[in-house]
Amino acid sequence: MAIAQRLQMKPPCIKLNMSGYEPFLDFLKAYAIVCVLIGHTFPLIDKIGYPFWAGMQVPIFVLIQAFHVLKKSSSELNLKKIFFRILLPYLLVLFGIILIYLFLGGIDNMLIVNGLTRGGYGPGSYYPWIYVQLAIILHFVRPLFSKDNLPKQTLLWLVVCEGFEMLESYINLPDPIHRLLAIRYLFLIYLAWLWVEDGIVINKVTILLSVLSGLSIAYFYYCNVNNEPLFYTTGWAFQRWPCYFYVSSLFCYLLHVIFASVSKISFFDKIIKFLAKCSYEIFLVQMAVIAVCPRFGFIENKYLSLSMWITFVWISSLAGGYVFNQIYSKILKGIR
């Protein structure tokens, strides 16, 4: 009887809330922002499999952004909301960074050039520009999705994503420009649509695809091989379409297993909600802190110096992100 019941069991599937609040997405945002801090502060993390567990922060954020748009029957491109929620706080932080640079000794031509080519200052300064591009792209591609043509849809997205890889390779696109373009994340839109249609499904096919995707991460990250013209050579080695099925399927399923356990504990549940609510502000503050705060070179012991700097960045980012969120939320309410 027990064996028969097991045989009749359906493969694991995580159905996400399509009409209201989805707590698992909060957990994903919380996890991703912690990984942002890890990736931007801890050295030598590539020695402990960084791309597999902490290197997919932005793809997770993109999956969440795309899911929220695609789950709706129609999308509305609210440029005013995007400006006030994403661009304005970023520009305020960017202005603050520039003021600090001026106070510390001025801005030379090289600093200006670096700011322009990198989309700003500090680690992750490209992300707000990526978010805006994806918001526009999602608005126009939303009507194109149809589950009736799944093979055709899959082929279309594969052709488009691989086409961009080959185009960038052919024109020898400068890496700083590639860094500011959302095209490397386009396949995540398709994967988010699969979330909308089927949820996060684990079966033999998705496990196989996840394993192949994981192997591609290892290949692109650890093997120094020129794959042009099939794959554009870039510093963002594992941020490309073959690497994303792992994060959208098997990895997010494993994160859900963790979420199902820790969310039952009140203390962790509060931390998750705090990190999720303030994730963007935490990101902006860490970007600014790392941009203007040098390593603690006045401490002779290099290990103590690094530990103190990491502690400072984390505390200031988390506390500053919370304060920024509270103040800016009140400002937004006043504007509305």
Side-chain angles (χ1 to χ4, degrees):
M1 183 66 178
I3 296 177
Q5 288 178 342
R6 290 179 182 179
L7 291 174
Q8 294 174 2
M9 288 175 63
K10 295 181 179 179
C13 176
I14 301 165
K15 298 296 289 185
L16 302 173
N17 193 330
M18 298 287 291
S19 59
Y21 171 66
E22 173 53 65
F24 177 55
L25 296 185
D26 268 2
F27 177 80
L28 287 181
K29 285 197 288 185
Y31 179 83
I33 195 59
V34 168
C35 289
V36 167
L37 291 171
I38 292 174
H40 291 164
T41 56
F42 284 89
L44 303 177
I45 50 178
D46 58 318
K47 307 298 183 183
I48 51 176
Y50 167 74
F52 297 101
W53 62 274
M56 288 293 185
Q57 319 98 318
V58 174
I60 288 175
F61 281 124
V62 172
L63 280 167
I64 295 170
Q65 178 188 1
F67 174 80
H68 280 308
V69 173
L70 298 177
K71 72 178 184 179
K72 302 174 183 177
S73 57
S74 61
S75 65
E76 177 184 353
L77 184 61
N78 192 332
L79 294 177
K80 180 180 178 181
K81 182 178 179 181
I82 293 173
F83 174 77
F84 281 108
R85 183 66 190 93
I86 301 299
L87 284 182
L88 182 57
Y90 170 72
L91 294 175
L92 290 174
V93 171
L94 186 60
F95 181 67
I97 294 174
I98 293 173
L99 287 180
I100 294 175
Y101 281 155
L102 288 171
F103 176 78
L104 292 176
I107 297 180
D108 56 22
N109 291 337
M110 183 58 67
L111 201 59
I112 294 173
V113 171
N114 286 339
L116 291 175
T117 56
R118 295 181 62 83
Y121 301 99
S125 56
Y126 64 91
Y127 176 69
W129 307 116
I130 296 291
Y131 184 98
V132 174
Q133 293 172 63
L134 288 170
I136 297 171
I137 293 170
L138 282 163
H139 172 70
F140 288 104
V141 303
R142 174 66 186 85
L144 303 179
F145 282 104
S146 172
K147 193 175 182 180
D148 295 334
N149 296 315
L150 181 59
K152 188 179 296 185
Q153 295 271 358
T154 305
L155 180 61
L156 173 64
W157 281 96
L158 289 174
V159 169
V160 168
C161 294
E162 179 55 28
F164 275 120
E165 288 275 355
M166 298 182 71
L167 176 63
E168 288 183 300
S169 177
Y170 177 75
I171 66 176
N172 196 24
L173 185 76
D175 210 31
I177 296 178
H178 174 77
R179 175 178 179 271
L180 293 171
L181 296 179
I183 54 177
R184 67 180 178 274
Y185 298 119
L186 288 181
F187 196 62
L188 290 162
I189 296 176
Y190 167 75
L191 296 174
W193 175 66
L194 294 183
W195 277 15
V196 171
E197 293 296 331
D198 302 316
I200 303 173
V201 179
I202 295 296
N203 55 33
K204 292 180 180 179
V205 174
T206 59
I207 290 175
L208 175 61
L209 291 175
S210 294
V211 170
L212 293 175
S213 179
L215 290 174
S216 73
I217 293 174
Y219 173 75
F220 287 120
Y221 190 70
Y222 292 107
C223 299
N224 188 19
V225 179
N226 186 333
N227 299 284
E228 294 191 359
L230 289 179
F231 293 102
Y232 168 67
T233 300
T234 171
W236 304 85
F238 63 98
Q239 305 275 309
R240 56 177 93 240
W241 69 263
C243 305
Y244 292 144
F245 199 88
Y246 159 79
V247 66
S248 72
S249 184
L250 182 59
F251 186 58
C252 277
Y253 176 79
L254 295 175
L255 288 178
H256 191 275
V257 173
I258 298 173
F259 162 73
S261 299
V262 300
S263 62
K264 298 175 183 178
I265 303 171
S266 177
F267 173 73
F268 287 113
D269 184 59
K270 290 179 181 178
I271 291 178
I272 290 168
K273 290 178 179 177
F274 155 68
L275 291 172
K277 180 181 179 182
C278 304
S279 60
Y280 187 57
E281 290 79 11
I282 293 171
F283 158 76
L284 292 177
V285 173
Q286 67 83 34
M287 182 185 77
V289 171
I290 296 176
V292 302
C293 178
R295 299 293 178 97
F296 290 177
F298 57 89
I299 301 177
E300 293 184 3
N301 186 295
K302 64 179 182 180
Y303 300 107
L304 180 59
S305 173
L306 178 62
S307 299
M308 293 296 293
W309 180 80
I310 292 174
T311 301
F312 174 77
V313 171
W314 277 66
I315 292 177
S316 57
S317 298
L318 295 172
Y322 172 76
V323 173
F324 190 5
N325 176 270
Q326 294 297 303
I327 295 175
Y328 192 72
S329 295
K330 291 179 180 178
I331 294 174
L332 281 185
K333 289 180 180 178
I335 295 175
R336 293 172 184 170

